[in-house]
Amino acid sequence: MVIARSALGKLRGKYDSLSTTEKRIAQLALNSPSTVSEMTIRELASAAGASTASISRFVKRLGYANYREFTMELAHVVVVDAQEGAKLFKELGEGDSLGVIANKVFHSSMASLEATNDALSENDIARAVLKLINAGTVNFFGLGGSSIAALDGYHKFVRTSLNVAYHPDYDIQLMQAAKLTADDCAVVISHSGKNYETIQIVKELKANHVPIIGITSYSGSPLARAATVTLLSLTDEIKYRSEGMYSLISQIAILDSLFMMTVLRSSSRTQPVLMHVRDVIERTREEP
Amino acid sequence: MVIARSALGKLRGKYDSLSTTEKRIAQLALNSPSTVSEMTIRELASAAGASTASISRFVKRLGYANYREFTMELAHVVVVDAQEGAKLFKELGEGDSLGVIANKVFHSSMASLEATNDALSENDIARAVLKLINAGTVNFFGLGGSSIAALDGYHKFVRTSLNVAYHPDYDIQLMQAAKLTADDCAVVISHSGKNYETIQIVKELKANHVPIIGITSYSGSPLARAATVTLLSLTDEIKYRSEGMYSLISQIAILDSLFMMTVLRSSSRTQPVLMHVRDVIERTREEP
DNA sequence: TTATTATATGTAAAAAAGTTTCACTTTTCA
DNA sequence: TGAAAAGTGAAACTTTTTTACATATAATAA
């Protein structure tokens, strides 16, 4: 199989065998492929001081079927080049355009999702799902920035057959926690995992032996230690001013996953999945 | 530097506002950009069951000067895609394990972010940021599922020097809308862009000439048409039961971007960015 | 509902782009 | 030196693309 030579390669390769006029044309294409790729045959002809006929013959001699094919390949060259150069934007530079800022934000989010996904263990997920679908009531807890994720969890799960509860107010969350039992399930969300009020809630839950699904970014945090199952919402390593920003998206994606799995449970066709959940749990009784 | 929206981004961004015939054309281009990039206008017309005239108008509507420019950009996409490598996730199979389900959810989210990022135009972002930083008060509106994104917007922007407001209650949102003026700014979030209550709010805002930043997934929706600036939160094409699920993450990422840009404004070191915002706007006065 | 207006779409003519023919010039080499 | 070969541009010709126009269809208002 013959490797596809780039347009510039062909140009350089045949350069010596070209006539004077054709060399002029080739020169133009080699010097500024991007410009030439956008020219019509007439424009190129006049730029090279040649006739359109010469250009037409020129591209055929290079092996292209027609002029359009030639410009197309020139354009490819341009793209590849541009990408090589653009690779490496790490940090947000001071003079960055809005487009670059947007790119950076989106890619940080995507990196956070990727990291979070990588860190999830099937075993933990399975245990979490089992707790959820067997719970009398499912209760979401989250304060400050994490209240958004908690609210989202409520919004999603309220569509299922589960009994769910969430209250934005801290005092009510605390009272709610006091009412739960070992038959219920609590989903506690906290980026840092050590917010004082959140920990008060966790203590209350522990006192009542309520199963806790903790969603936090720090595996060593009080929340992570106290939780029955911990799901980590990792963030992209490059931090801006507000590091909690990208963890929200990871938190939500975790909730999405739990939601999807819970929904699938009710579908009879996906009963096998549920069986599999139990299997996974049986198979791994050791625990962290 | 103006961000180059990819051809696919443009296609996805405008897709919803296209006519039936044009959707057919767009579909072809989205499905096999490489093939289409090599077609003449006639071939594409017959492949799409349309006239050459329609194709010509179609590419102009997308913002290209002529058909050749369009095929050229499609060819670019091909190169970029080929380099990305294969993305092999398809649908969720019935017997999929929990780990696979999680993978799928996360990758759908990432794909949604990618599509959303692709479809954002720097021009639109710039206009949105300018509206925000010059507004007397910034007001978030969102009902149902989108209330979460609205709340998130409030949470983020409340840390800035801007005056922000958000109320979860519909009636209060409506009253709040009635109080705003042309000096304020409204951020209206709605996945479908056509929720009845949301549109009532939009009408109220329009009556008062309040600038509207619309965040929705459908470029042809009433919200998108009414908004001063529309930012599209695209979702991965593969839909599950609840398609709004992945748009939340895109919505949040858009808000993150706006937030970052707004924050950067207050840093004196990044004043150039702001200048650039104005530049971008000056430079691009046409367009919808 | 019907009239009216806007939107979509294809046909066909015009314009633009690209290719080929042909006559003329220059170069090559016996 | 002079025939054959190669190079070139003008113009005829073909193909491709755009635009103008007419018609159909959908949306909107009375």
Side-chain angles (χ1 to χ4, degrees), chain A residues 22-273:
Chain A
E22 289 178 328
K23 280 200 178 104
R24 272 206 311 279
I25 303 169
Q27 206 52 255
L28 275 179
L30 284 167
N31 289 342
S32 39
S34 85
T35 316
V36 172
S37 78
E38 287 167 359
M39 287 177 163
T40 69
I41 201 172
R42 281 203 160 78
E43 290 167 337
L44 180 53
S46 100
S51 66
T52 63
S54 295
I55 309 281
S56 187
R57 278 187 300 254
F58 166 77
V59 299
K60 291 211 164 68
R61 176 170 308 198
L62 251 45
Y64 297 99
N66 52 42
Y67 181 71
R68 238 186 97 187
E69 201 176 293
F70 168 71
T71 54
M72 217 67 135
E73 265 209 31
L74 267 188
H76 277 221
V77 170
V78 176
V79 174
V80 174
D81 268 15
Q83 288 188 336
E84 294 266 323
K87 280 266 161 90
L88 26 72
F89 59 122
K90 289 261 145 215
E91 302 244 350
L92 203 43
E94 303 195 357
D96 282 348
S97 73
L98 294 183
V100 171
I101 296 177
N103 266 327
K104 183 70 190 101
V105 169
F106 274 85
H107 281 89
S108 289
S109 296
M110 284 159 61
S112 298
L113 286 175
E114 183 127 42
T116 300
N117 186 30
D118 278 355
L120 283 181
S121 90
E122 184 157 24
N123 181 23
D124 289 341
I125 303 172
R127 291 199 296 146
V129 171
L130 252 207
K131 292 290 179 203
L132 284 173
I133 62 185
N134 289 323
T137 68
V138 174
N139 300 262
F140 291 92
F141 298 94
L143 299 167
S146 298
S147 67
I148 292 155
L151 177 60
D152 178 52
Y154 173 78
H155 261 262
K156 289 209 168 69
F157 280 85
V158 80
R159 302 180 210 175
T160 68
S161 57
L162 297 175
N163 296 313
V164 293
Y166 168 72
H167 294 282
D169 191 76
Y170 166 59
D171 294 311
I172 298 184
Q173 285 192 23
L174 195 54
M175 285 189 280
Q176 181 73 11
K179 286 171 57 183
L180 300 181
T181 74
D183 293 331
D184 299 309
C185 180
V187 179
V188 182
I189 307 169
S190 168
H191 168 64
S192 69
K194 63 181 189 190
N195 169 280
Y196 176 76
E197 283 83 11
T198 304
I199 297 308
Q200 294 313 113
I201 292 171
V202 168
K203 281 182 182 163
E204 192 61 50
L205 292 168
K206 286 295 266 189
N208 297 333
H209 306 98
V210 183
I212 300 174
I213 299 174
I215 300 180
T216 176
S217 300
Y218 297 93
S219 57
S221 65
L223 171 56
R225 287 166 189 273
T228 317
V229 186
T230 301
L231 303 175
L232 285 177
S233 57
L234 297 178
T235 62
D236 189 20
E237 59 290 346
I238 305 156
K239 307 273 170 50
Y240 290 122
R241 332 215 159 202
S242 91
E243 66 161 9
M245 211 158 95
Y246 304 117
S247 79
L248 172 59
I249 284 182
S250 296
Q251 290 165 0
I252 290 177
I254 289 174
L255 291 169
D256 282 346
S257 298
L258 292 177
F259 169 74
M260 276 307 301
M261 294 164 186
T262 308
V263 167
L264 286 176
R265 172 207 63 148
S266 45
S267 159
S268 63
R269 301 195 315 178
T270 50
Q271 197 63 27
V273 174

Side-chain angles (χ1 to χ4, degrees), chain B residues 11 34 39 57 73 120 149 172 197 203 221 236 277 280:
Chain B
L11 240 25
S34 82
M39 287 175 163
R57 279 188 300 253
E73 264 208 34
L120 282 181
I172 298 185
E197 282 83 11
K203 281 183 181 160
S221 65
D236 190 21
V277 172
V280 169

Side-chain angles (χ1 to χ4, degrees), chain B residues 117-137:
Chain B
N117 186 28
D118 247 19
L120 282 181
S121 89
E122 183 157 27
N123 183 21
D124 289 341
I125 301 173
R127 291 199 296 146
V129 171
L130 253 205
K131 292 288 179 207
L132 284 174
I133 63 186
N134 290 323
T137 68

Side-chain angles (χ1 to χ4, degrees), chain B residues 79-100:
Chain B
V79 175
V80 174
D81 263 19
Q83 293 186 338
E84 290 250 328
K87 294 210 172 151
L88 18 81
F89 280 93
K90 287 275 145 194
E91 299 242 354
L92 199 45
E94 302 195 357
D96 284 347
S97 73
L98 295 183
V100 171

Side-chain angles (χ1 to χ4, degrees), chain B residues 63-277:
Chain B
Y64 297 99
N66 52 43
Y67 181 73
R68 234 187 101 189
E69 201 177 293
F70 168 72
T71 53
M72 216 69 135
E73 264 208 34
L74 266 188
H76 281 215
V77 169
V78 174
V79 175
V80 174
D81 263 19
Q83 293 186 338
E84 290 250 328
K87 294 210 172 151
L88 18 81
F89 280 93
K90 287 275 145 194
E91 299 242 354
L92 199 45
E94 302 195 357
D96 284 347
S97 73
L98 295 183
V100 171
I101 296 177
N103 265 327
K104 181 64 190 117
V105 170
F106 275 85
H107 280 89
S108 289
S109 296
M110 284 160 60
S112 298
L113 285 175
E114 181 129 40
T116 301
N117 186 28
D118 247 19
L120 282 181
S121 89
E122 183 157 27
N123 183 21
D124 289 341
I125 301 173
R127 291 199 296 146
V129 171
L130 253 205
K131 292 288 179 207
L132 284 174
I133 63 186
N134 290 323
T137 68
V138 174
N139 300 262
F140 291 91
F141 298 94
L143 299 167
S146 298
S147 65
I148 291 156
L151 177 61
D152 178 53
Y154 173 79
H155 261 263
K156 288 209 169 68
F157 279 84
V158 79
R159 303 180 209 175
T160 68
S161 58
L162 297 175
N163 296 313
V164 295
Y166 168 72
H167 294 281
D169 191 76
Y170 166 60
D171 293 311
I172 298 185
Q173 284 192 24
L174 194 54
M175 286 190 278
Q176 181 71 12
K179 285 172 56 184
L180 300 181
T181 73
D183 294 330
D184 299 308
C185 179
V187 179
V188 182
I189 307 169
S190 168
H191 169 65
S192 70
K194 64 181 187 190
N195 169 280
Y196 177 75
E197 282 83 11
T198 304
I199 297 309
Q200 294 313 112
I201 291 171
V202 168
K203 281 183 181 160
E204 191 62 49
L205 292 168
K206 287 294 266 188
N208 297 333
H209 307 99
V210 183
I212 299 174
I213 298 173
I215 300 181
T216 176
S217 300
Y218 297 94
S219 58
S221 65
L223 171 55
R225 287 166 188 272
T228 317
V229 187
T230 300
L231 303 175
L232 286 178
S233 55
L234 297 178
T235 62
D236 190 21
E237 56 289 348
I238 305 155
K239 306 271 170 51
Y240 290 122
R241 333 215 159 202
S242 92
E243 65 160 10
M245 209 158 95
Y246 305 116
S247 79
L248 172 59
I249 284 182
S250 296
Q251 290 166 359
I252 289 177
I254 290 174
L255 290 170
D256 282 346
S257 299
L258 292 177
F259 169 74
M260 278 306 302
M261 293 164 187
T262 309
V263 166
L264 286 176
R265 171 211 63 151
S266 42
S267 159
S268 62
R269 302 193 316 178
T270 50
Q271 199 61 26
V273 173
L274 222 223
M275 296 304 182
H276 184 64
V277 172

